[in-house]
Amino acid sequence: MSLQNVVSGLLLGGMLALIGMGFSLVWGILNIVNLAHAPTIMFGAYITYYFYEGLHIDPFLALPITMGILAIFGFLLQQFLINRIIKSTLLITFLLTFGLEVMFVNLGRLIFSGVPRTVKTDYDSASFSFLSAEVSFKKLAGLGIALILTFLLYLFMSRTKIGNAIRATSMDLNAAKLMGINIANIYTVTYAISAALAGAAGALLSTWNSFTPDEFGKYNIRAFAVVVLGGLGSIPGALIGGLAFGFISEIIGGLTIGSGLDAFTLSPWKEGILFLSLVLVLIIRPQGLMGKEGYR
C-alpha cells in the first residue's frame, strides 16, 4: 500500500464520515432508516452549484448557508410529516422515506434536468506534494470540515441541554418522557441537524465530481455501510467508520489504475470485495467499531 493510497483513503474517509454522520443520527435516535438522506445530499449539491453559478459565491463560503437552508428543510419535513408516523413500525417509516426519496429524485429531474453539473473553481486542480503523495487542496479542506463538524457535533451533544436531551432520548425513551423532555421537538431538532450535515456533504461533493439527480442513491448505501461499521448512533463511530471504509475502499479501488478517490462507484466485483470486508469486520465486532459508547 503506497503513501498515495493512505492519503487518498484518508481524504475519501473524511467525506464518507460526513455522509454517514447525519444518517447515523436519525437511525440511532429516531430509529428510522432514512432513505431521504441521499436526496438531501443532492439538494445540498445543487444549492451550492446555483450559488456559485448565479451569485459567484465560493462553495466553501456557501457551506453555512446551504447547511442552514437544509436544516430548515429537515425541520419542516420532520415537524409536519415524519413526526406524524414516528410511532409506527420501522417498516412503515422505511417505506415513507423510500417514497420521499423517489419523489425528491423525480422532483430533481424535473427542476434540475439530467444535464451533468459540477462546480469548477479556479483552485480546482490545486494540489501540493507530500513526500511521494499528491494532495488536493479542496479535498484536504473537505477533510478538515468533516473533522470540525464532527468535533462541533460532539461538543453539542455532550455540553448543551438539547444535546443531553437527545442523548437521553436515544438511551431510554420512556425515562426521557418522565423527565419532561418533549420527544417530538427532540426528533425535529435531530432531523434538522442530520439534514444540515447532509447539505454540507452535498456542498463538498459538488466540487469533487459532476452530478445529476440520479447519481446520489449510492450515498445511502455508503452511509449505511459507514454507520454499521462505525456503530449505530455514535458520532465518533461515524468518523472512524468513514475513515475505515475509506481506507478499505481505497485499497480495493487502488488495485487497478483509474479507480479510488474520485470513484464512489467501484466495479461490481470490487463492490463485492468491499462489502465482504465489511461483513468480516462485523463478524469479529457485531456492534461496530464504536457501538453506542461514542455518545458517553
Side-chain angles (χ1 to χ4, degrees), residues 108-135:
R109 290 173 183 157
L110 184 67
I111 297 173
F112 308 126
S113 80
V115 177
R117 310 286 188 188
T118 186
V119 177
K120 286 286 184 184
T121 60
D122 294 336
Y123 50 84
D124 205 48
S125 57
S127 63
F128 66 95
S129 296
F130 175 69
L131 299 178
S132 60
E134 198 69 19
V135 184

Side-chain angles (χ1 to χ4, degrees), residues 31-296:
N31 195 30
I32 292 176
V33 180
N34 182 25
L35 297 183
H37 189 69
T40 310
I41 294 174
M42 175 190 76
F43 288 136
Y46 275 101
I47 289 171
T48 304
Y49 170 78
Y50 285 110
F51 269 133
Y52 185 71
E53 290 296 320
L55 302 175
H56 305 295
I57 300 177
D58 185 89
F60 289 97
L61 294 178
L63 188 71
I65 307 172
T66 303
M67 290 180 69
I69 292 173
L70 287 170
I72 295 171
F73 167 77
F75 183 92
L76 296 175
L77 187 66
Q78 176 67 31
Q79 181 76 13
F80 295 106
L81 181 60
I82 300 177
N83 263 348
R84 294 181 181 276
I85 65 158
I86 195 69
K87 294 179 181 177
S88 303
T89 63
L90 184 64
L91 177 61
I92 297 298
T93 55
F94 181 84
L95 289 175
L96 173 68
T97 61
F98 173 70
L100 289 173
E101 180 189 22
V102 173
M103 183 183 74
F104 288 142
V105 169
N106 280 286
L107 195 62
R109 290 173 183 157
L110 184 67
I111 297 173
F112 308 126
S113 80
V115 177
R117 310 286 188 188
T118 186
V119 177
K120 286 286 184 184
T121 60
D122 294 336
Y123 50 84
D124 205 48
S125 57
S127 63
F128 66 95
S129 296
F130 175 69
L131 299 178
S132 60
E134 198 69 19
V135 184
S136 164
F137 276 115
K138 68 177 182 182
K139 290 174 180 173
L140 183 62
L143 173 64
I145 289 170
L147 293 175
I148 290 170
L149 289 175
T150 303
F151 181 66
L152 291 177
L153 185 59
Y154 189 80
L155 286 181
F156 175 79
M157 287 293 188
S158 58
R159 304 289 175 84
T160 68
K161 187 176 179 179
I162 297 176
N164 284 328
I166 293 174
R167 292 173 57 205
T169 303
S170 72
M171 291 174 184
D172 192 324
L173 182 62
N174 291 325
K177 288 178 181 175
L178 291 173
M179 294 299 292
I181 295 174
N182 187 321
I183 302 300
N185 286 347
I186 290 300
Y187 284 164
T188 302
V189 171
T190 303
Y191 197 95
I193 294 172
S194 169
L197 292 171
L204 295 175
L205 282 170
S206 71
T207 67
W208 280 39
N209 298 308
S210 63
F211 53 88
T212 69
D214 293 311
E215 296 177 5
F216 288 85
K218 60 191 173 190
Y219 298 125
N220 272 341
I221 300 173
R222 290 292 185 265
F224 185 88
V226 166
V227 170
V228 171
L229 184 59
L232 180 61
S234 169
I235 296 169
L239 179 62
I240 299 299
L243 293 175
F245 201 73
F247 279 118
I248 295 172
S249 182
E250 179 58 29
I251 291 170
I252 295 171
L255 294 176
T256 60
I257 297 171
S259 55
L261 187 58
D262 286 325
F264 278 91
T265 304
L266 301 174
S267 61
W269 71 271
K270 288 180 181 177
E271 285 280 337
I273 294 175
L274 182 64
F275 282 92
L276 179 61
S277 305
L278 178 66
V279 170
L280 292 176
V281 170
L282 293 179
I283 289 174
I284 299 170
R285 193 173 170 80
Q287 72 273 33
L289 297 176
M290 296 293 287
K292 281 280 188 180
E293 292 299 312
Y295 277 152
R296 294 191 280 272

